[in-house]
Amino acid sequence: MAEEKKGADRFGTVALSEDGRSLVIIDQTLLPGEMKYIALSDQRDIREAIYRLKVRGAPAIGVAAAIALYLAALEISESAPQADEDEFFRRLEAAKIYLQESRPTAVNLKWALDRMYRHALSLKGAGAARIAASMRLEAEKIRSEDVDVCRRIGENGLTLLKKGQGILTHCNAGRLACVRYGTATAPIYLGHERGYDFRVFADETRPLLQGARLTSYELSEAGIDVTLICDNMASSVMQKGWIDAVITGCDRVAANGDTANKIGTSGVAILARHYEIPFYIAAPSSTIDFETETGAGIVIEERSGDEIRKMWYREPMAPETVRTYNPAFDVTDASLISGIITEYGVLRAPYDVSLKELRDKIEAEKRKEGDL
Ligand code: MRU
């Protein structure tokens, strides 16, 4: 069961508890009203927390899933210490599928689970207890890499910006969506440390209000100049000349550069093109899905109509039975993207070429390290 966890790392969004027996997350559904850490050890609670967006944002979901699969391995190895490895792997694979089904669009979920499972397979023969122990280290590695990757995205993103600029962002691709720094917000945080004095505009991001509840919260907590606007005000602030660049995060980049991100992002990109404002996507390489050729192949999560009809309102704001359509993400065409900011640098169009070059580079690095 979920229980309140006090004294956890105040600055980490997602972590493994010190005793290595639970996943510790900030319950983001309570923000901005309450900053509370919860500790989860049951697989059902973890899957529910991902589905309910207690932990959300592609990288944070990936780290949470990695930790969750380690916890599953630990439980399997302890509950049936005599079980043979085939049984261990059967149950581990079932846990992997169970977790993966929680949210379909953010590819980091699958990426992290696949990486954890591959790691376990590479240790076949070592015994369940040893495999589980090593999976703990792998999950912790995925978590610490996230901090490093986001910082590098921040450095690369900062090269595109100038002091005093106005930046618009959509949804929350901030530190609450990662472990620290965030992706879209990483250049903003680094710029803030270096006196860039950015003026940030945060779209509220209907229907789940990640921009209002999370982005405006975390940026103002950090002392950054942030102005909250409703989604339908983006055109107005762009028209006034207040926006010099748009930076958003993303949940999946297809091999041709089409990009899925929070619903409304593609509209912001179209507006940015109209006003000739550069539109950047910030994405760790773990968010690139080289197996999906174009945005048309990305599965878009659909969520309950109640998120539109009544959630956040004191009273329902629509007839209870009215039909709704509530896609959680949309796809921004690669042609609208001025650059994809990764930890390896800023990729430019044509993205099928620059993404392929990046893939070759990553594979060469892995081969050198003996990971392939
Ligand atoms: O539904 P959410 O809140 O998980 O959606 C989050 C986003 O769309 C983010 O922009 C994306 O995951 C990138 S987070 C660095």
Side-chain angles (χ1 to χ4, degrees):
M1 264 314 283
E3 65 178 62
E4 189 169 355
K5 175 93 183 170
K6 295 216 164 65
D9 175 7
R10 191 186 177 299
F11 301 103
T13 302
V14 46
L16 180 65
S17 63
E18 270 159 31
D19 66 5
R21 296 197 157 266
S22 48
L23 168 71
V24 181
I25 55 169
I26 294 170
D27 182 347
Q28 298 189 36
T29 58
L30 303 176
L31 288 170
E34 194 182 352
M35 173 71 173
K36 181 176 168 186
Y37 284 96
I38 54 172
L40 310 167
S41 45
D42 186 280
Q43 294 290 307
R44 274 167 309 184
D45 291 342
I46 294 175
R47 183 178 139 133
E48 178 77 358
I50 295 173
Y51 178 71
R52 299 255 165 239
L53 275 60
K54 289 183 179 182
V55 57
R56 33 69 49 205
I61 293 172
V63 175
I67 293 173
L69 199 64
Y70 151 65
L71 293 173
L74 182 68
E75 193 197 317
I76 301 165
S77 69
E78 287 178 347
S79 66
Q82 308 309 333
D84 64 17
E85 269 194 15
D86 288 345
E87 169 69 5
F88 172 82
F89 278 104
R90 255 195 307 280
R91 289 177 62 187
L92 193 65
E93 192 179 8
K96 173 178 175 291
I97 293 166
Y98 179 71
L99 288 165
Q100 199 171 307
E101 283 168 351
S102 55
R103 294 197 76 189
T105 306
V107 79
N108 295 62
L109 177 64
K110 179 176 176 339
W111 170 86
L113 290 168
D114 285 349
R115 177 167 156 181
M116 290 293 289
Y117 192 71
R118 267 199 317 274
H119 183 78
L121 280 177
S122 75
L123 298 166
K124 234 179 176 173
R130 282 217 187 119
I131 297 173
S134 184
M135 286 176 72
R136 174 178 178 163
L137 301 180
E138 189 68 5
E140 281 172 344
K141 197 165 154 204
I142 289 175
R143 181 179 183 276
S144 61
E145 279 172 11
D146 182 77
V147 179
D148 176 55
V149 161
C150 287
R151 201 176 166 89
R152 285 161 61 196
I153 288 175
E155 294 290 357
N156 293 332
L158 206 50
T159 64
L160 303 167
L161 304 170
K162 294 194 181 68
K163 288 191 173 175
Q165 284 190 324
I167 300 167
L168 185 135
T169 190
H170 189 76
C171 192
N172 174 266
R175 72 174 172 82
L176 288 164
C178 303
V179 177
R180 287 199 182 105
Y181 301 113
T183 58
T185 57
I188 297 171
Y189 280 120
L190 292 191
H192 181 63
E193 281 168 23
R194 296 171 197 176
Y196 271 63
D197 294 328
F198 293 131
R199 289 166 294 107
V200 181
F201 289 81
D203 281 352
E204 69 172 348
T205 319
R206 280 279 288 155
L208 291 181
L209 308 183
Q210 289 92 333
R213 294 186 303 106
L214 309 175
T215 304
S216 72
Y217 164 78
E218 66 164 83
L219 293 184
S220 46
E221 281 278 291
I224 291 168
D225 178 338
V226 56
T227 303
L228 176 65
I229 57 170
C230 298
D231 298 334
N232 54 7
M233 297 168 191
S235 175
S236 165
V237 294
M238 288 181 183
Q239 197 175 47
K240 285 183 177 351
W242 294 352
I243 308 299
D244 300 291
V246 176
I247 313 179
T248 75
C250 74
D251 284 78
R252 193 184 293 229
V253 182
N256 73 340
D258 290 348
T259 296
N261 190 49
K262 179 51 54 190
I263 190 72
T265 304
S266 68
V268 176
I270 291 165
L271 288 177
R273 173 60 53 92
H274 178 77
Y275 291 109
E276 297 181 5
I277 297 166
F279 175 90
Y280 299 111
I281 289 284
S285 56
S286 52
T287 303
I288 303 168
D289 178 3
F290 294 104
E291 310 310 321
T292 298
E293 282 176 29
T294 70
I298 300 176
V299 177
I300 299 293
E301 174 182 5
E302 277 188 45
R303 297 183 61 90
S304 161
D306 281 348
E307 291 178 352
I308 301 177
R309 283 187 289 254
K310 53 186 177 187
M311 204 169 173
W312 314 117
Y313 294 117
R314 213 178 296 250
E315 286 169 31
M317 280 297 135
E320 189 147 357
T321 54
V322 72
R323 185 182 314 118
T324 57
Y325 172 54
N326 185 16
F329 301 94
D330 61 20
V331 174
T332 299
D333 197 86
S335 64
L336 296 169
I337 300 171
S338 313
I340 301 178
I341 310 166
T342 74
E343 72 271 33
Y344 290 93
V346 180
L347 307 186
R348 300 285 187 176
Y351 293 109
D352 52 346
V353 176
S354 52
L355 284 164
K356 162 104 180 48
E357 281 168 7
L358 179 63
R359 179 183 203 172
D360 292 346
K361 185 174 172 170
I362 294 170
E363 283 180 0
E365 261 182 21
K366 281 194 192 150
R367 259 194 298 278
K368 215 164 139 196
E369 287 161 15
D371 283 353
L372 265 188

